[in-house]
Amino acid sequence: MKTSADLFEEIESAVVRFAGDSGDGMQTIGERFTDSSAFAGNDIATLPDYPAEIRAPAGTLAGVSGFQLQFGNRRILTPGDQPDALVAMNPAALKANIADLPEGGMLVINVDSFKKMNLSKAGYSSNPLEDIDFRKKYHLIELDLTSLTKEALSDTALKPSEKVRCKNFFALGFMYFVYGRPLEPTLKFFKEKWAKCMPQLAEANSIVLKAGYHLGDTMETARNRYQISKAPVKSGLYRKISGNEAMVYGLVAAASRAKRNLLYAGYPITPASPILEGLSVLKKHGVKTLQAEDEISAMGMALGASFAGDLAVVATSGPGMCLKSEFIGLASITELPVVIVDVQRGGPSTGLPTKTEQSDLLQSLYSRHGDCPLPVIAAHSPSDCFDCALEAVRLALTYMTPVILLSDLYIANGSEPWKIPNVCEIPEIENSFADTEEEFVVYRRNPETLARKQAIPGQIGLEHRIGGLEKDEDGEVSYDPENHEKMTQLRASKINGISKSLPSINLEGPCHGDLLVIGWGGTYGAICSAIKNMREEGFSISSLHLRHLNPFPKDLEKVMNGFDKIIVPELNLGQLSTVLQSTFSKKVISYSKIQGKPFKVSELKEEFLKHLP
Amino acid sequence: MKTSADLFEEIESAVVRFAGDSGDGMQTIGERFTDSSAFAGNDIATLPDYPAEIRAPAGTLAGVSGFQLQFGNRRILTPGDQPDALVAMNPAALKANIADLPEGGMLVINVDSFKKMNLSKAGYSSNPLEDIDFRKKYHLIELDLTSLTKEALSDTALKPSEKVRCKNFFALGFMYFVYGRPLEPTLKFFKEKWAKCMPQLAEANSIVLKAGYHLGDTMETARNRYQISKAPVKSGLYRKISGNEAMVYGLVAAASRAKRNLLYAGYPITPASPILEGLSVLKKHGVKTLQAEDEISAMGMALGASFAGDLAVVATSGPGMCLKSEFIGLASITELPVVIVDVQRGGPSTGLPTKTEQSDLLQSLYSRHGDCPLPVIAAHSPSDCFDCALEAVRLALTYMTPVILLSDLYIANGSEPWKIPNVCEIPEIENSFADTEEEFVVYRRNPETLARKQAIPGQIGLEHRIGGLEKDEDGEVSYDPENHEKMTQLRASKINGISKSLPSINLEGPCHGDLLVIGWGGTYGAICSAIKNMREEGFSISSLHLRHLNPFPKDLEKVMNGFDKIIVPELNLGQLSTVLQSTFSKKVISYSKIQGKPFKVSELKEEFLKHLP
Amino acid sequence: MITTKTEESNLTKKDFVTTNDVRWCPGCGDYAILNAVQRTMPELGIAKEKFVIVSGIGCSSRFPYYMNTYGFHTIHGRAPAVATGVKVANPELSVWLITGDGDGLSIGGNHLLHLLRRNLDINVLLFNNQIYGLTKGQYSPTSEVGKKTKSTPSGSVDYPVNPILFALGAEATFVARTVDSDQKHMIETFKAAQAHKGTSFVEVLQNCVIFNNKTFDPITNRENKVDQLLYLQEGKSLVFGQNSDKGIRLNGLDVEIVESTKGTNGSELLIHQPRNSNPAYATLLSQMTYPNFPTPMGIFRQLEGKETYEDSIVEQIETSQKNGEGSLQELLTGKNSWLVED
Amino acid sequence: MITTKTEESNLTKKDFVTTNDVRWCPGCGDYAILNAVQRTMPELGIAKEKFVIVSGIGCSSRFPYYMNTYGFHTIHGRAPAVATGVKVANPELSVWLITGDGDGLSIGGNHLLHLLRRNLDINVLLFNNQIYGLTKGQYSPTSEVGKKTKSTPSGSVDYPVNPILFALGAEATFVARTVDSDQKHMIETFKAAQAHKGTSFVEVLQNCVIFNNKTFDPITNRENKVDQLLYLQEGKSLVFGQNSDKGIRLNGLDVEIVESTKGTNGSELLIHQPRNSNPAYATLLSQMTYPNFPTPMGIFRQLEGKETYEDSIVEQIETSQKNGEGSLQELLTGKNSWLVED
Ligand SMILES: Cc1ncc(C[n+]2csc(CCOP(=O)(O)OP(=O)(O)O)c2C)c(N)n1
Ligand SMILES: Cc1ncc(C[n+]2csc(CCOP(=O)(O)OP(=O)(O)O)c2C)c(N)n1
Ligand code: SF4
Ligand code: SF4
Ligand SMILES: [Mg+2]
Ligand SMILES: [Mg+2]
């Protein structure tokens, strides 16, 4: 028998997908695999994928939950187009995912769940594992996970049902073997999570994990083993971070750099709830979190807190954005700073609440009645949420305005390694506070930014009133026609003027060519990967990714003019295309995907090719 | 002494403005003057203008209420750029309006109100009536209205305070003399309004009205008298109608032609409340009106009623539109017919609630999260609200979709003569009802319109469920990626397909030229007047006015291509311009006015000239 | 309105079951409530096509998908508005509104308030699991103070809404409580709700096995329930406990427990009077909460004879039409028209 | 927070008056309430810059423009949310919320409900004129049934909300009523509201001269008021009428009028007990309405000792910071970081 080390095949990157029932713990093992890979020094990107129901009936297609990750020794920008290895815990998971596994891909199956009832629940009339063609098509590994797990735990005092529930870690251990992942981070996790309250469980899972690993070592079928060396990243301290986590940290960091207290008001909604939850544990950092009765109220609470001097933030998803629009209009006319995070999901209406989409851009720009422009920015990856939170706060406080920050389900739930910033190096954020020594005129403007100054209740002598009626510079209600025109123009100029403060565009590729790809938001990784590939293949293609969607960077038009064609790939019916065309009266090609899923790199390449000479 | 008939000067049209305190009854006499002119066979257009406060402190600028109308023997399309005659009941009314009166214009003043206190409330440091230059500048007529009215009523039993309150009708009587208006319609109005419950008041007002008229007859200063012959209109039965009235009638007519019960749910808001109020008296016509607790609820009630088979309608203004957006998204995904009327007012936020604006277009198009297109149409004059209501209902029922119908404060409150349609000639509106004899598949579509069929609760065997989650053709909830894309595309195609049913564009002027003016909504009258003038002056200019703002008529692009330049005048920051540019990637010139007031014909001409060779 | 009658008498539970997979978590209390509703409806003497189920958003609000009736799964908190529209459009329909504690009392509190005060003849079932289920376990407005959840790791700080007291504050005409673990009582209560003309508000205590398992255990489990549940019966005194050996009596304007009802012969005990038009009595009951008091189950208040909103609307229309419907042509013509001749 | 104290003791009414024109209709009850508030504030011992007035939309909600304090005129119905944000951001501020019957009980009912249950230390003054003033006279949720208004020409069909009962249903800790025509009573009530720690809900009966003139006349006019108003005083029995010759006593779980209090010596009359923790007592009072009963004025319920929302939040933060504030750098670093070396 050869030693397993002999069998290591050095590869650049791999894509693994775990799939099982909602109750099977697929998200948990996905997260563990990610941590372990990060620990091993790989770059990673993840894609959790679960149903809208909490726990749909066991064994059905509706109940399948999945987690895919890509890890590698180079910059990993997406969770991968298709898995190299698929772990399927039951027939439904197999059925829902097998179409994505390429021929020859590794397929790990929990065979004990391939019983008649489960097969029929999944809609299989016969057992695919008995189909010879099927068996030949993949690199099939059949594990009797239930029995194996029970066996491994025969010496422990757990109840049989509890034992069975550990089987996800058996599968994980097995995959650790296949990809040569370290066990330490996961063993540490068990300890931290359960050692105190449920030491038996910590123990049992450790046993099972190791048993899975050792099985790989001894099993004949596990002939492939892969080795992926460290990714060549800048030196420094790293951690894994999801988009929602990065948002939480970015907001806390921004409050600290602006020297304001952070007050967050929210109402639970998928996929934004983790921001509320993440902030609610940060009382030690002085963060106040309020769970409001609805999104209207959350927005009102934030506005009140902003009036009273806090850094006020709300986060929600599409349906909640609808409810906030009237208050956003009030924030705009009273010129109060507030950050509104929209973690987009599939729409319209309740739509696809647990799938990703980029379809709230036009809403962000135009949901209010009246002329009511405001800054809109979008994060493009999990860790970018941190930077965008800082930028949103900068815009809000510098320009005294509500700011909409778009995230989406894909980056909110996905994760990647993040180089931890040094707090002292994060720039301070300036406030536009009134001076008690000077005369305070409510809507007198900073000539540079056109921002008004803010006086805070409690400050002596700065008493004043604000509200939703049109007003003159003094803050007095005014129905004067010319004043209304002036104020409307001023508010618009203030927002447009933000473009002066934006850095120039960072093009991927040269500034002239056949095709320019313009992207925004969570499609960044896929677009970048596609462009890099195609440039290597010699195509004249460049790309740029917009963080600022209103106003656009000042050099955007010039950059666009350098290319023969412009294509805009979006996970919606063409919303950025619409805005680009209206802004520049220039035709762009819109490429849409509206499937609740991110772009595949291959899809993008195929589409781009169509528009290249 | 010459007889007054000798002094008649024949003119084509005249513009009269009444201005006074909110409590002075200016709207009332404006309305009467309008009726009287209509009765005299003139064409008319009106512009009421009042403050947001119910009754701001008497005598202040904030409390000034005005009513302007233009009447003439030709087609009158606007209430006039500036008054030929101004009636000012107090110093504040004078101050607020005098800038609009051209030199030599007739100025009728209620002198007893020009006392020190009133002058200072209005911000006059000295009495303008004592200024010789001022007196020379206008054709000044000073009436001691209070004393004159009291005198006229000396024989009646009214209390002194009640007598004084009749003085507006004295002023009206006087103006009737000047413009040779018939008294009958007003005398009839007194009878109908007060004869039963307050006969004394009917009597007193009649006396005062006549006294005012006779004073003109005897007074030396009233040397000008004008005569305006009938406007050459098509024969038929006419009435005066305001935009909100026309909306009410249009909705009732549409329900009747669609054979559905009309259910209207509303929440009071300026300037849409009169629609609720107007429908609430039509119980005899089977109309159900519900005053909801807010606009969200009103929209929900309408959706429920639509599900149950009624013709469901809501109307509101900007702030209410914000609140409806989540429910509109639900209406869109469930494909239920409902008409949403937005009577626009000055925004953003509470803004200028009693001033007009066209600034909710982008909101109408894009306020929902997700990709959620729906038809948007706009009425262009008071009577056009009738036709647009019919069209909105046609779109809603034929295409099974929510429809947004835009009106605005200017046309809602303004009025014009209307040729009363013959009910039998109004086309029937077809429903897309399910057939009990056929299999009912909830989202199976009519191949022509792409509309689904509607089954109504209570119908045997057609039980089904609808909701806001994405679903397949059967109506089952579906998270399938391809299905979501297909459904999103189908919903969008359905709306886009409406353009097939639209008549071709009606151009004012030839289809090639130097400048094309594209307008929408209440700016119709001013644009048409300007274009007619300029075409008479020989300019190569044409105009078109869009009723359908989404989708656009199918020939719009072709028409646009016939002109060197395109200009889009709007009472907003350029919202239709934005949409045109995004749709056709073609640059248009945006001309904005954001003063809460309609365009003047002269302003438009001046601007158009700038863009003509 | 296109309504024809089906043969209502032959209906069975099966007629109300859809072929859809029910997608609640195994063990969720919602299953039991679904079962109870499906067993109640065939017995109401109402044709199947007359039922309309309207819901908001939440685990509970998935309900209409599992009922083979007309159904509308709307948006979060707004079902009362939709239900109102359905009922006013067609008062002949039997409208059932399914909502959760978050859907009905957090985001939707106002619509529920106005539905209750308008007294439409709609049955409201509020599934109270004291948690947000569908969004995975944040506290709800009925969660107890100090509740540790995902969004309140240090414990919630707001005082809960008492759904019964809230409904009384809205002057609801029918207010009741039942629990997912008691099929018989649920069916009885749902039947009474449908029989009541006016809005019927029923709080259903519901167990969320995943995020708030066993919250109601202290009062509903086999051992405790005799001492912790008090079944309300009109005209009977308020007694509970093994052999009904405990009772409730008035002490000033508050209630107290009488430990033994034997000697008193029950005469000093409070008599259940759901038809007392003064809400003070029902208010007293609403204050009986665990652990100080047994939790009352059944109908707290039931006031008949208040006209419903939809009936009043129909009546106004009928009154105004008693001399015939209005003529559209006359309406358009109005009173101040004038003729222009050629 | 940038707060410094002004000399509060020298404040007079004038300090609270703005130079703005007050734009209510002549004779509107709002003027009297404005006056009462301007007279109350200087006497509270609170520095002027600590006052924040938040309102929604309506005639009443124009209030902040006329007060020379910090003020926020927000949007329709949502002032409770904004006030909550202000108060939680800075609990030291004295926050006053001005709302109308439409603003507070129609569109804003839910926010008010949640404000009350959360028990923030905010004073809510609800100007109840039983009409929509600013939109020119449609009926409101407090209008009586059958009210003929612009939007209900045949009379309104919905049953009104009883603001006091609504507040009790939300378990408000301070519930009171006063009237625009009684300066002294308004000031007294507003002072008590500010003194109360927790949300104070005050219904102010207010006359709208334009659209609902004299609605309260039957109870407030000079002639009737002795018989129609009952002033509540803690610990005193419920008496009213000329020479306090009439009183209120309990009859079962309902109240009735005792025509002469002479013989009874008052002993059988109800004693006013605003601190009774059971809401049943205040509920009884809320049912005393014209024309059957005198209308109670004053404090219906006042429960001290319930911690406020903002205090609980601050406390949780202080507790978690008792060993020092969290380090941002540590937070960002987390527990699972790894070092990449060159
Ligand atoms: C406008 C809006 N906000 C938030 C959500 C997210 N959401 C869905 S259900 C729910 C609460 C569910 O709680 P509850 O009503 O108690 O129902 P349960 O799931 O417990 O049955 C929330 C907040 C949403 N769908 N829409
Ligand atoms: C969202 C929204 N809907 C409607 C309105 C119109 N509106 C303004 S005030 C008001 C009601 C006023 O009534 P109330 O609160 O009783 O105040 P009052 O004027 O009687 O003092 C309404 C419906 C609005 N401003 N915003
Ligand atoms: S999460 Fe709770 S309430 Fe929702 S289905 Fe699961 S057990 Fe039921
Ligand atoms: S309309 Fe009524 S409430 Fe409004 S200011 Fe006038 S009198 Fe006061
Ligand atoms: Mg719940
Ligand atoms: Mg009011």
Side-chain angles (χ1 to χ4, degrees), chain A residues 50-58 60 62 267-270 273 276-278 280-281 283 289-296 323 349-350 353, chain C residues 21-26 31 57 59 62 74-76 78 102-103 106-107 132-136 138-140 150-154 158 210-211:
Chain A
Y50 44 81
E53 286 77 20
I54 301 307
R55 223 145 277 176
T60 65
Y267 186 69
I269 190 166
T270 307
S273 308
L276 164 63
E277 295 158 7
S280 68
V281 297
K283 303 215 169 7
T289 53
L290 314 186
Q291 183 172 314
E293 60 272 25
D294 65 9
E295 288 87 349
I296 299 178
L323 292 170
S349 197
T350 310
Chain C
D21 288 336
V22 181
R23 297 189 188 172
W24 288 308
C25 308
Y31 286 98
I57 298 285
C59 294
R62 294 288 174 97
T74 70
I75 55 176
H76 196 34
R78 319 299 176 183
D103 191 64
S106 188
I107 188 168
Y132 285 2
L134 193 61
T135 49
K136 306 198 172 174
Q138 301 82 10
Y139 82 119
S140 94
K150 278 193 186 158
S151 57
T152 52
S154 321
D158 19 357
I210 304 293
F211 299 110

Side-chain angles (χ1 to χ4, degrees), chain B residues 55-344:
Chain B
R55 228 149 271 174
T60 63
L61 285 169
V64 175
S65 168
F67 189 106
Q68 176 168 316
L69 80 162
Q70 179 166 204
F71 51 103
N73 64 9
R74 49 178 179 79
R75 184 97 176 83
I76 297 296
L77 290 162
T78 76
D81 283 8
Q82 53 186 28
D84 299 309
L86 170 66
V87 177
M89 301 294 281
N90 69 4
L94 180 68
K95 178 119 184 190
N97 290 283
I98 190 68
D100 294 338
L101 189 69
E103 222 174 305
M106 178 185 285
L107 178 60
V108 180
I109 295 276
N110 173 23
V111 282
D112 11 319
S113 75
F114 278 63
K115 308 245 169 73
K116 205 147 185 195
M117 203 179 63
N118 286 334
L119 286 163
S120 87
K121 270 192 200 157
Y124 278 118
S125 49
S126 66
N127 189 343
L129 302 180
E130 287 163 8
D131 174 350
I132 298 187
D133 292 344
F134 181 92
R135 299 185 65 91
K136 274 200 207 143
K137 194 167 170 195
Y138 307 104
H139 168 202
L140 186 66
I141 299 174
E142 289 161 294
L143 300 179
D144 200 339
L145 283 180
T146 315
S147 343
L148 287 164
T149 305
K150 275 195 201 152
E151 212 180 288
L153 294 176
S154 53
D155 288 349
T156 65
L158 292 183
K159 279 186 257 170
S161 70
E162 290 172 336
K163 287 181 184 171
V164 174
R165 237 179 284 139
C166 299
K167 67 178 184 294
N168 56 334
F169 287 113
F170 197 105
L172 181 65
F174 182 81
M175 296 310 286
Y176 277 181
F177 174 79
V178 173
Y179 287 102
R181 310 278 91 187
L183 302 185
E184 297 77 32
T186 308
L187 296 172
K188 189 174 155 219
F189 167 83
F190 292 154
K191 242 192 229 132
E192 276 168 10
K193 181 137 191 200
W194 290 305
K196 264 197 206 142
C197 49
M198 291 186 281
Q200 285 182 322
L201 199 63
E203 179 60 21
N205 280 327
S206 304
I207 294 174
V208 169
L209 185 78
K210 288 180 197 159
Y213 191 92
H214 292 134
L215 179 76
D217 209 353
T218 52
M219 209 172 139
E220 181 79 44
T221 42
R223 45 181 197 272
N224 299 41
R225 267 195 97 189
Y226 304 101
Q227 176 129 309
I228 294 171
S229 55
K230 295 189 178 190
V233 289
K234 271 208 216 135
S235 64
L237 197 61
Y238 280 78
R239 66 176 288 173
K240 193 194 64 169
I241 201 158
S242 74
N244 276 340
E245 282 167 353
M247 193 67 81
V248 165
Y249 297 145
L251 293 170
V252 177
S256 154
R257 302 311 283 166
K259 299 202 180 59
R260 289 205 187 208
N261 294 319
L262 180 59
L263 184 146
Y264 176 93
Y267 185 70
I269 189 166
T270 306
S273 309
I275 300 177
L276 164 62
E277 295 159 7
L279 285 166
S280 69
V281 296
L282 301 183
K283 304 215 171 3
K284 223 178 150 58
H285 296 264
V287 180
K288 292 178 179 173
T289 53
L290 314 186
Q291 182 172 314
E293 60 273 25
D294 65 7
E295 289 88 348
I296 299 178
S297 174
M299 188 67 208
M301 290 175 176
L303 217 53
S306 174
F307 181 56
D310 276 3
L311 172 61
V313 178
V314 297
T316 184
S317 190
M321 286 301 285
C322 283
L323 292 170
K324 291 186 191 300
S325 57
E326 193 190 2
F327 254 132
I328 297 176
L330 181 65
S332 162
I333 201 170
T334 54
E335 305 188 46
L336 281 175
V338 50
V339 172
I340 301 139
V341 178
D342 175 8
V343 188
Q344 299 164 97

